[in-house]
Every structure is written in C-alpha cells, then in structure tokens.
Amino acid sequence: QDKEEALALFALAKRRPNLLTESLFTNIVRMHVMDGDIQSAFAIIKEMRAAGIEPRLRLFRSVLEAHKTVIKSWAAAERHLALYNDMKSTLVNMPIPMYPDEMAYAHALEGFCLVAEELPEEKGKAIQAFEEILEDFLDDILLPTEASLSVIKRRFALEPGVWSVEEGCVIDDDSCQCSHCKAKLLAIEPSDAAREALLQQADNFPSSLTDGRKAKVDASWAGLKSKLAQWATETDPARRITCVIDGANIAYYKQNYKGGWSFPNIHAVIKHLESKGHVWLLFVHESHFGKRDVKSLEDLQIIERWKETGRLWIVPHGANDDWFWLYAAVYLGKGVQVISNDFMRDHHYEMLSQRYFQRWRDRRQSFFNFFRVGNEPINNIEIFPPAPYSKRAQRAEDRSSYHFPVSDAPVDSTDLSKITREAGDSKARAGVVRKKEDELPNQAPLKWLCVSRVK
C-alpha cells in the first residue's frame, strides 16, 4: 500500500514539473530497488534524466548494491558494468569532478565476483570486468577498509594457485620492498594533467569573495602568480624554492594557551630548513601582524628578516592563507614540499578534484615535529617528508602484484590522514601533546594486504 501511495504521489508530481526534485526521484528509485524491481529503477533513472536532473552518487550506490544480487546471465552482468560506467561518467562531468566512493566500488566489484562464482562459463569475462573497475579503484581509494578488501580477497581466491594473498605484510622504508613478495612499491607522482587541473580549480578560490575586500585579495593573488612565474624559472640552486611553509600551522603548534601564536616557532623551523639547504617561501595572514600576535622586539626582528629575503607573502584580510600556499606549492611543482601538519579537510579543499588532490598531497606534504620545555626555545625539530614509495593502494607495473594499505577507519576513508586521529589547527592551539605516530600520517605504521602472482 505504501508503494502504491508513493507511486500515486510521484505520478501527481510529474504533472507539475516544479515538484520533481533529485531527492524525489532518488526515493522512488530506492523504493523499486528495495522491492527488487531493478528494471523499474532503471526506467525511473531514465525519466530523471529526461527531466534534466542528473543522478547522484547515493542513487548509483543503492542500485549497484541491489543489482549485484540479481545477476543471473552475462547480459545482466553487462548491465551491471554499464551502470558502473554510467555512474563514473556522470560523476566526473559534474562542475567539480567526483568519483565513486568505497562502497560504490565494493558493490560494483562484488557483482563480478558473484558472476564468476555462479556462472563458471563466464568466469574469464567477469575477472576482466573486475580488473577494469579495480584500475579505477586504485586511483580513488587510497586507503581501503575491509568493506572493499573483503571483495578483493574474494576475487583473487577465484584463482587458487595463480595468486597468493597475504595479510599483515610490511614495507621496508629503505628498499620499498614488500616483506612477502619482495616487490618494490612505487612512488606514484601526480601527472602534469593533474597539476594543471588542480591549478585551474585552486585559481577559483578568490572568486568566492564578493565584499569590499575582493579588490585587495585579487591584487595579492595576481601578484603571487607573477612572482611564482619568476621563481619557477630560477636556475640558481641557491635561490630555487624547495619548500612552501604554512606559517599558521607552525605558529600555533604546541602552544598551550589562548591566542598562542608564536613567530619564534616559525623562525626555528625556517632555520632548521636552511641548515638542510632548503630555500623557503612563507605564507602568513595579515591578521597576525598586529599587537595581538607581535609581542616582542624579537618578533619584530624575525619579521624584518623574513621581509628582507623577499620570500614572506602576507595574505590580505578577506582571503584564506591556505588558498595562497596551496596554489604556490602546486604551481612550483615537483621537488617542492609543503611544510604543514594540516590534513587539508576544510570546505575549500572540497572544491578540488579529490582524485588529483589526494595524489598530489601524498607526494608533496612534509610533516614536522618539535619539542619545547617551558618557555625555552624549541629544539629537536624533525621534518618528515613522504616515504620513497606511495603509501596507497597500487599495482606493480608488470601486473605481478597488488598492495593495499589496511585501515580500520570508517568506510568513507579515501586518504591516508584517516589512519590517525583528527590533528588540525584546533588541537595544536589547544596544546594537545601526541605521539609522533598519532599525528603524522606519513610516519604512522601500516600493515599491507599483498596479492602477488605465484611464481
């Protein structure tokens, strides 16, 4: 009866197009899916598009979950693959490109495990389809959970004697080799296309401003782009920028009182970087140069020294300093690290293609740590660059092995920062003292699932 009433209301809504919304279509599709009526669900999706409304990820996820259980022929398996490809195409063509989440991938992949198990004569084609989807999975789900890993283990169990599946493996940080198969993991660098896409998306950050501060922000943004063009062509190694510094993240680090901004924190890290041969570019927001944060003659002297180098960029009121240092780091490209413990989860990062952004961050962010006793100067500064291999799901170039870092984080995990507790600026300002492995994702120990061809 509820279904009949819902369909009657849906029929009524179709007479008044202004009542047709994405959520209404999605609920009707879900109703058909829960009832096992997949064909009607497909028909509603077609009507949805005819009404000029594109399905969202949540709808595709629901349909894939239901459809995988009713595949009884290769023709149905082809519809499953077509549904997956439709989802992928729809998401990537959104204004901000999106990609399937872990559960959507798990449902798509499991469908072909079921085909291989229940239709032995189609096993070869099912495995091929599985591997096509797995290639996309490796790009998007950097840190899988058991939700998808259980499906991956199930697929490779289909070929005993061909593949070896070993859990709890470790990767040697020096040799980059797996303890089980001895394969060497790769450092997966962002492509030129990924860099250009991120630059174009990050260039839209200042466009979100509409008030009287926009002119000043636009001028600073244009000035930065002009300077970056000069810095990027620098040929003298002694002047070529090698690191971009998130000043606020360092200034607030381990400050255990309200308003605990510290210019000496930043200065100490800069001196450490200089001692290692680095050339830095520092970003600090304009709001930190007033009486509240400039507390001493030492602070004034530090600021003057930075200004003399020409590599202090003061971000104007109305802008977010993250916009500036992120754009600079992406622009300057390979060989330039961001020095920050920020996990980069704020809303403006959502404006970036997550596939490209996560791959970039995996190879371009260096974390830091230091110690302080009372009011004494900080010491034991440590910088933790990315490992020589990418700590993310990956396939060997010769297709002889797959390696998956294992997470016990929630199912929506797609990045390596999920292996730790939240460790953003708010905790740094609160003076929370944590172990290094708790706050530095690229240093946290990982176990790996190794899938390798039997030799």
Side-chain angles (χ1 to χ4, degrees):
Q1 184 178 354
D2 290 343
K3 181 177 181 179
E4 291 176 1
E5 290 178 359
L7 291 175
L9 289 172
F10 182 54
L12 181 62
K14 287 194 284 187
R15 299 175 191 171
R16 301 179 63 183
N18 61 309
L19 297 179
L20 292 174
T21 63
E22 184 271 337
S23 60
L24 175 61
F25 275 112
T26 297
N27 286 330
I28 296 297
V29 169
R30 282 177 168 171
M31 181 185 67
H32 285 307
V33 165
M34 292 174 65
D35 202 37
D37 189 354
I38 304 300
Q39 292 304 318
S40 292
F42 285 169
I44 297 298
I45 293 174
K46 188 174 181 180
E47 286 186 40
M48 187 177 184
R49 284 203 164 103
I53 301 173
E54 282 295 330
R56 294 184 182 178
L57 174 59
R58 60 185 181 181
L59 182 148
F60 285 113
R61 192 192 302 119
S62 295
V63 178
L64 282 167
E65 181 179 16
H67 189 258
K68 72 185 182 186
T69 65
V70 297
I71 302 175
K72 303 301 181 185
S73 67
W74 184 248
E78 288 180 323
R79 284 197 298 272
H80 193 70
L81 185 59
L83 179 61
Y84 165 76
N85 285 325
D86 186 10
M87 171 181 66
K88 187 171 67 168
S89 175
T90 299
L91 294 176
V92 80
N93 286 307
M94 288 183 171
I96 299 173
M98 293 180 62
Y99 302 91
D101 63 9
E102 183 175 14
M103 286 311 303
Y105 272 118
H107 297 322
L109 290 166
E110 189 174 9
F112 289 101
C113 285
L114 290 165
V115 171
E117 291 165 353
E118 298 179 12
L119 303 172
E121 69 278 10
E122 307 294 359
K123 179 177 174 180
K125 289 190 289 187
I127 288 175
Q128 182 178 349
F130 185 103
E131 292 181 352
E132 289 176 14
I133 298 172
L134 185 59
E135 286 296 303
D136 294 332
F137 175 94
L138 293 172
D139 264 334
D140 295 331
I141 312 301
L142 306 193
L143 186 68
T145 68
E146 188 61 23
S148 57
L149 291 177
S150 60
V151 179
I152 289 168
K153 288 183 282 188
R154 184 174 171 183
R155 174 267 174 266
F156 288 102
L158 293 168
E159 296 182 287
V162 177
W163 294 97
S164 167
V165 178
E166 187 73 17
E167 300 185 63
C169 300
V170 296
I171 308 300
D172 183 82
D173 279 345
D174 295 322
S175 68
C176 307
Q177 284 186 315
C178 170
S179 60
H180 175 63
C181 72
K182 308 305 179 185
K184 186 174 181 178
L185 269 66
L186 307 173
I188 304 175
E189 292 290 339
S191 65
D192 290 341
R195 175 179 172 273
E196 288 303 316
L198 284 177
L199 279 178
Q200 290 177 16
Q201 291 161 8
D203 201 20
N204 291 325
F205 284 153
S207 65
S208 61
L209 296 174
T210 57
D211 59 21
R213 300 171 294 183
K214 181 172 173 55
K216 186 176 180 181
V217 172
D218 285 347
S220 181
W221 191 256
L224 175 63
K225 292 167 73 173
S226 176
K227 287 294 293 183
L228 288 172
Q230 297 176 31
W231 285 323
T233 58
E234 178 60 63
T235 57
D236 181 357
R239 296 171 58 86
R240 188 183 305 130
I241 291 171
T242 59
C243 59
V244 170
I245 300 174
D246 175 5
N249 191 260
I250 297 173
Y252 281 125
Y253 188 64
K254 294 189 177 178
Q255 295 296 104
N256 59 359
Y257 61 94
K258 187 177 181 181
W261 175 277
S262 172
F263 282 108
N265 271 14
I266 306 174
H267 190 51
V269 171
I270 282 177
K271 288 196 295 182
H272 175 79
L273 291 168
E274 288 176 341
S275 74
K276 303 298 182 181
H278 286 286
V279 180
W280 49 269
L281 172 60
L282 171 64
F283 289 86
V284 178
H285 198 275
E286 186 177 13
S287 61
H288 297 297
F289 291 92
K291 293 180 180 179
R292 180 193 64 186
D293 294 329
V294 181
K295 307 180 187 75
S296 66
L297 177 61
E298 180 190 12
D299 288 349
L300 288 170
Q301 291 171 337
I302 287 172
I303 293 166
E304 282 306 308
R305 179 185 181 279
W306 294 343
K307 287 181 176 179
E308 288 171 2
T309 68
R311 299 194 307 277
L312 165 64
W313 200 269
I314 300 176
V315 177
H317 288 293
N320 189 313
D321 48 342
D322 293 359
W323 302 347
F324 282 73
W325 60 252
L326 175 66
Y327 186 88
V330 176
Y331 188 99
L332 292 171
K334 188 174 182 179
V336 176
Q337 288 287 307
V338 172
I339 311 299
S340 177
N341 287 352
D342 189 341
F343 283 157
M344 307 183 197
R345 295 182 189 159
D346 292 341
H347 69 278
H348 46 267
Y349 297 116
E350 295 174 3
M351 297 168 62
L352 303 171
S353 165
Q354 291 304 295
R355 173 179 285 188
Y356 295 150
F357 177 58
Q358 290 172 30
R359 180 172 286 193
W360 173 84
R361 186 180 60 183
D362 174 57
R363 303 310 305 160
R364 298 289 180 268
Q365 184 173 11
S366 291
F367 293 82
F368 66 89
N369 191 37
F370 53 70
F371 304 97
R372 179 193 297 277
V373 178
N375 292 322
E376 294 181 8
I378 63 175
N379 54 50
N380 295 322
I381 297 171
E382 298 174 283
I383 304 294
F384 301 94
Y389 60 94
S390 292
K391 293 185 177 181
R392 50 164 292 174
Q394 55 178 278
R395 171 182 56 75
E397 290 180 328
D398 63 0
R399 297 181 177 271
S400 63
S401 65
Y402 295 84
H403 289 87
F404 304 91
V406 178
S407 169
D408 57 2
V411 168
D412 66 352
S413 299
T414 55
D415 68 79
L416 287 171
S417 66
K418 300 280 184 161
I419 63 179
T420 71
R421 295 176 296 178
E422 186 76 19
D425 280 351
S426 60
K427 284 196 173 181
R429 292 171 188 153
V432 178
V433 178
R434 295 149 295 187
K435 296 179 182 179
K436 277 192 299 183
E437 60 266 29
D438 287 335
E439 64 182 351
L440 305 175
N442 65 357
Q443 294 297 304
L446 279 175
K447 295 295 185 181
W448 293 73
L449 172 69
C450 167
V451 179
S452 57
R453 284 193 176 274
V454 176
K455 298 178 181 178

Short mmCIF file of all heavy atoms in Angstrom, two decimals, residues 95-123:
data_model
loop_
_atom_site.label_atom_id
_atom_site.label_comp_id
_atom_site.label_asym_id
_atom_site.label_seq_id
_atom_site.Cartn_x
_atom_site.Cartn_y
_atom_site.Cartn_z
N PRO A 95 30.29 19.80 -12.10
CA PRO A 95 31.12 21.02 -12.08
C PRO A 95 32.43 20.85 -11.34
O PRO A 95 33.48 21.31 -11.79
CB PRO A 95 30.20 22.03 -11.38
CG PRO A 95 28.81 21.56 -11.69
CD PRO A 95 28.89 20.06 -11.72
N ILE A 96 32.39 20.19 -10.18
CA ILE A 96 33.62 19.75 -9.51
C ILE A 96 33.66 18.24 -9.66
O ILE A 96 32.82 17.53 -9.10
CB ILE A 96 33.61 20.13 -8.01
CG1 ILE A 96 33.53 21.64 -7.84
CG2 ILE A 96 34.86 19.58 -7.32
CD1 ILE A 96 33.36 22.08 -6.41
N PRO A 97 34.57 17.71 -10.47
CA PRO A 97 34.56 16.27 -10.75
C PRO A 97 34.56 15.43 -9.49
O PRO A 97 35.29 15.70 -8.54
CB PRO A 97 35.86 16.07 -11.56
CG PRO A 97 36.12 17.40 -12.17
CD PRO A 97 35.66 18.41 -11.16
N MET A 98 33.70 14.42 -9.47
CA MET A 98 33.62 13.48 -8.36
C MET A 98 33.91 12.08 -8.87
O MET A 98 33.93 11.85 -10.08
CB MET A 98 32.23 13.54 -7.72
CG MET A 98 31.90 14.84 -7.03
SD MET A 98 30.24 14.80 -6.32
CE MET A 98 30.43 13.44 -5.12
N TYR A 99 34.09 11.18 -7.91
CA TYR A 99 34.41 9.80 -8.26
C TYR A 99 33.68 8.88 -7.29
O TYR A 99 33.27 9.31 -6.20
CB TYR A 99 35.93 9.57 -8.21
CG TYR A 99 36.66 10.51 -9.12
CD1 TYR A 99 37.11 11.75 -8.67
CD2 TYR A 99 36.84 10.20 -10.46
CE1 TYR A 99 37.73 12.64 -9.53
CE2 TYR A 99 37.46 11.07 -11.33
CZ TYR A 99 37.91 12.31 -10.86
OH TYR A 99 38.50 13.18 -11.72
N PRO A 100 33.47 7.63 -7.66
CA PRO A 100 32.77 6.71 -6.76
C PRO A 100 33.47 6.61 -5.40
O PRO A 100 34.69 6.73 -5.31
CB PRO A 100 32.84 5.37 -7.51
CG PRO A 100 33.00 5.74 -8.95
CD PRO A 100 33.84 6.98 -8.95
N ASP A 101 32.66 6.36 -4.35
CA ASP A 101 33.25 6.15 -3.03
C ASP A 101 33.52 4.65 -2.83
O ASP A 101 33.25 3.84 -3.73
CB ASP A 101 32.37 6.72 -1.92
CG ASP A 101 31.01 6.05 -1.83
OD1 ASP A 101 30.78 5.01 -2.51
OD2 ASP A 101 30.14 6.55 -1.08
N GLU A 102 34.05 4.31 -1.68
CA GLU A 102 34.48 2.92 -1.47
C GLU A 102 33.31 1.94 -1.57
O GLU A 102 33.46 0.86 -2.15
CB GLU A 102 35.18 2.78 -0.12
CG GLU A 102 35.71 1.36 0.09
CD GLU A 102 36.53 1.21 1.36
OE1 GLU A 102 36.49 2.12 2.21
OE2 GLU A 102 37.21 0.18 1.49
N MET A 103 32.15 2.29 -0.99
CA MET A 103 31.02 1.36 -1.02
C MET A 103 30.49 1.17 -2.43
O MET A 103 30.10 0.06 -2.81
CB MET A 103 29.91 1.83 -0.08
CG MET A 103 30.24 1.65 1.39
SD MET A 103 30.84 -0.02 1.81
CE MET A 103 29.50 -1.05 1.23
N ALA A 104 30.46 2.23 -3.24
CA ALA A 104 30.02 2.08 -4.63
C ALA A 104 30.96 1.13 -5.37
O ALA A 104 30.51 0.25 -6.13
CB ALA A 104 29.99 3.44 -5.31
N TYR A 105 32.26 1.30 -5.16
CA TYR A 105 33.22 0.39 -5.79
C TYR A 105 33.02 -1.05 -5.29
O TYR A 105 33.06 -2.01 -6.07
CB TYR A 105 34.65 0.84 -5.48
CG TYR A 105 35.20 1.83 -6.45
CD1 TYR A 105 35.58 3.11 -6.04
CD2 TYR A 105 35.36 1.51 -7.80
CE1 TYR A 105 36.10 4.03 -6.94
CE2 TYR A 105 35.89 2.43 -8.71
CZ TYR A 105 36.26 3.69 -8.27
OH TYR A 105 36.76 4.60 -9.16
N ALA A 106 32.80 -1.20 -3.98
CA ALA A 106 32.64 -2.55 -3.42
C ALA A 106 31.44 -3.25 -4.06
O ALA A 106 31.53 -4.44 -4.41
CB ALA A 106 32.47 -2.46 -1.90
N HIS A 107 30.33 -2.54 -4.24
CA HIS A 107 29.15 -3.15 -4.85
C HIS A 107 29.41 -3.49 -6.32
O HIS A 107 29.00 -4.55 -6.81
CB HIS A 107 27.95 -2.21 -4.74
CG HIS A 107 27.52 -1.94 -3.33
ND1 HIS A 107 27.53 -2.91 -2.35
CD2 HIS A 107 27.07 -0.79 -2.73
CE1 HIS A 107 27.10 -2.37 -1.21
NE2 HIS A 107 26.83 -1.10 -1.41
N ALA A 108 30.06 -2.58 -7.03
CA ALA A 108 30.36 -2.84 -8.45
C ALA A 108 31.27 -4.04 -8.60
O ALA A 108 31.04 -4.93 -9.44
CB ALA A 108 30.99 -1.60 -9.08
N LEU A 109 32.31 -4.11 -7.78
CA LEU A 109 33.27 -5.21 -7.86
C LEU A 109 32.64 -6.54 -7.43
O LEU A 109 32.86 -7.58 -8.07
CB LEU A 109 34.48 -4.91 -6.97
CG LEU A 109 35.41 -3.79 -7.44
CD1 LEU A 109 36.35 -3.38 -6.32
CD2 LEU A 109 36.20 -4.21 -8.67
N GLU A 110 31.85 -6.50 -6.38
CA GLU A 110 31.26 -7.75 -5.88
C GLU A 110 30.32 -8.38 -6.90
O GLU A 110 30.20 -9.61 -6.97
CB GLU A 110 30.51 -7.49 -4.58
CG GLU A 110 30.08 -8.78 -3.90
CD GLU A 110 29.45 -8.57 -2.54
OE1 GLU A 110 29.19 -7.40 -2.18
OE2 GLU A 110 29.22 -9.56 -1.83
N GLY A 111 29.68 -7.54 -7.71
CA GLY A 111 28.82 -8.09 -8.75
C GLY A 111 29.55 -9.07 -9.64
O GLY A 111 29.02 -10.12 -10.02
N PHE A 112 30.81 -8.76 -9.97
CA PHE A 112 31.56 -9.64 -10.87
C PHE A 112 32.18 -10.82 -10.14
O PHE A 112 32.47 -11.84 -10.76
CB PHE A 112 32.57 -8.81 -11.65
CG PHE A 112 31.90 -7.94 -12.67
CD1 PHE A 112 31.69 -6.58 -12.42
CD2 PHE A 112 31.39 -8.47 -13.84
CE1 PHE A 112 31.02 -5.79 -13.32
CE2 PHE A 112 30.71 -7.69 -14.75
CZ PHE A 112 30.52 -6.34 -14.50
N CYS A 113 32.37 -10.70 -8.82
CA CYS A 113 32.72 -11.89 -8.04
C CYS A 113 31.58 -12.89 -8.08
O CYS A 113 31.78 -14.10 -8.28
CB CYS A 113 33.02 -11.50 -6.59
SG CYS A 113 34.60 -10.70 -6.34
N LEU A 114 30.37 -12.39 -7.91
CA LEU A 114 29.19 -13.26 -7.93
C LEU A 114 29.01 -13.92 -9.29
O LEU A 114 28.66 -15.11 -9.39
CB LEU A 114 27.94 -12.44 -7.57
CG LEU A 114 27.87 -11.99 -6.10
CD1 LEU A 114 26.81 -10.91 -5.93
CD2 LEU A 114 27.54 -13.19 -5.21
N VAL A 115 29.26 -13.16 -10.37
CA VAL A 115 29.16 -13.73 -11.71
C VAL A 115 30.15 -14.88 -11.87
O VAL A 115 29.80 -15.97 -12.35
CB VAL A 115 29.42 -12.65 -12.78
CG1 VAL A 115 29.52 -13.29 -14.17
CG2 VAL A 115 28.30 -11.61 -12.78
N ALA A 116 31.40 -14.64 -11.46
CA ALA A 116 32.44 -15.68 -11.60
C ALA A 116 32.11 -16.91 -10.79
O ALA A 116 32.41 -18.04 -11.20
CB ALA A 116 33.79 -15.11 -11.19
N GLU A 117 31.47 -16.72 -9.63
CA GLU A 117 31.15 -17.85 -8.76
C GLU A 117 29.92 -18.62 -9.24
O GLU A 117 29.88 -19.86 -9.16
CB GLU A 117 30.91 -17.34 -7.33
CG GLU A 117 32.18 -16.82 -6.65
CD GLU A 117 31.88 -16.00 -5.41
OE1 GLU A 117 30.68 -15.72 -5.13
OE2 GLU A 117 32.85 -15.64 -4.71
N GLU A 118 28.92 -17.90 -9.75
CA GLU A 118 27.65 -18.53 -10.09
C GLU A 118 27.51 -18.89 -11.57
O GLU A 118 26.66 -19.69 -11.94
CB GLU A 118 26.50 -17.62 -9.65
CG GLU A 118 26.48 -17.40 -8.14
CD GLU A 118 25.36 -16.47 -7.70
OE1 GLU A 118 24.47 -16.19 -8.54
OE2 GLU A 118 25.36 -16.03 -6.54
N LEU A 119 28.34 -18.26 -12.41
CA LEU A 119 28.31 -18.55 -13.85
C LEU A 119 29.73 -18.93 -14.28
O LEU A 119 30.45 -18.13 -14.89
CB LEU A 119 27.82 -17.33 -14.64
CG LEU A 119 26.44 -16.78 -14.27
CD1 LEU A 119 26.18 -15.46 -15.01
CD2 LEU A 119 25.35 -17.81 -14.61
N PRO A 120 30.17 -20.15 -13.97
CA PRO A 120 31.56 -20.54 -14.24
C PRO A 120 31.98 -20.33 -15.68
O PRO A 120 33.16 -20.03 -15.95
CB PRO A 120 31.58 -22.03 -13.86
CG PRO A 120 30.45 -22.19 -12.90
CD PRO A 120 29.39 -21.23 -13.34
N GLU A 121 31.04 -20.48 -16.60
CA GLU A 121 31.39 -20.33 -18.01
C GLU A 121 31.75 -18.88 -18.37
O GLU A 121 32.35 -18.61 -19.42
CB GLU A 121 30.24 -20.82 -18.90
CG GLU A 121 28.97 -19.97 -18.88
CD GLU A 121 28.06 -20.26 -17.69
OE1 GLU A 121 28.50 -20.99 -16.76
OE2 GLU A 121 26.92 -19.75 -17.68
N GLU A 122 31.36 -17.92 -17.49
CA GLU A 122 31.65 -16.51 -17.73
C GLU A 122 32.76 -15.98 -16.82
O GLU A 122 32.99 -14.77 -16.74
CB GLU A 122 30.38 -15.67 -17.51
CG GLU A 122 29.15 -16.12 -18.26
CD GLU A 122 29.28 -15.98 -19.77
OE1 GLU A 122 30.34 -15.50 -20.25
OE2 GLU A 122 28.34 -16.34 -20.49
N LYS A 123 33.45 -16.91 -16.17
CA LYS A 123 34.45 -16.50 -15.18
C LYS A 123 35.53 -15.60 -15.77
O LYS A 123 35.91 -14.58 -15.17
CB LYS A 123 35.09 -17.76 -14.57
CG LYS A 123 36.15 -17.48 -13.52
CD LYS A 123 36.67 -18.80 -12.94
CE LYS A 123 37.83 -18.60 -12.00
NZ LYS A 123 38.32 -19.88 -11.44
#
